[in-house]
Amino acid sequence: IVILPGASADLTSVTFSIKEEDHTLGNSLRWAIMQNSQVDFCGYSIPHPSEAKTNLRIQTTDRSNAVESMGKGLDDLRSVCQIIKGKFQQRLREDNYSRTG
C-alpha cells in the first residue's frame, strides 16, 4: 500500500494505491471504512483493467486522518471476516446448514 501524490498536509485527504487487488477488496474495505463516523468520504477505483491495482480515496474530519482510518478499516474488515469464518465453521461442525439439489 502506497500513498499517492496529492495527499493533504494533515493527511485528512489521501489516496492509497493497493497493488494486486481488485473490486473484492476495494468494495469491502470501502464499506468497512465508511462505518467510521470520522470518515466523510471513501471511494475506490480500478484505474485500468490491465493494471492489477486499486486506488482508495479517504477523506476524514479534522479529528482523524486517512492513515488512521485505513488502519481501522483494515482491522475492522479482518474482524468481520473472522466472525463470518467462525460462524461458518460452527455450522459445519453442527451439520446445521441447508442443502439444495
Side-chain angles (χ1 to χ4, degrees), residues 50-82:
S50 68
E51 291 182 85
K53 69 179 179 180
T54 299
N55 291 342
L56 186 83
R57 175 83 174 171
I58 302 173
Q59 293 173 220
T60 67
T61 66
D62 292 338
R63 292 174 282 164
S64 184
N65 69 58
V67 174
E68 291 172 356
S69 298
M70 172 66 101
K72 181 175 179 351
L74 288 166
D75 289 342
D76 292 350
L77 184 57
R78 181 182 178 117
S79 293
V80 168
C81 289
Q82 288 172 334

Side-chain angles (χ1 to χ4, degrees), residues 1-4 15-22 25-26 29 33 44-47 51-56 70 74:
I1 299 176
V2 297
I3 294 176
L4 297 179
T15 300
F16 299 90
S17 185
I18 308 169
K19 294 183 181 192
E20 304 300 324
E21 293 298 342
D22 59 14
L25 181 66
L29 189 53
I33 291 169
Y44 80 96
S45 65
I46 307 296
E51 291 182 85
K53 69 179 179 180
T54 299
N55 291 342
L56 186 83
M70 172 66 101
L74 288 166

Side-chain angles (χ1 to χ4, degrees), residues 37-51:
S37 64
Q38 300 302 310
V39 173
D40 290 330
F41 171 82
C42 183
Y44 80 96
S45 65
I46 307 296
H48 192 275
S50 68
E51 291 182 85

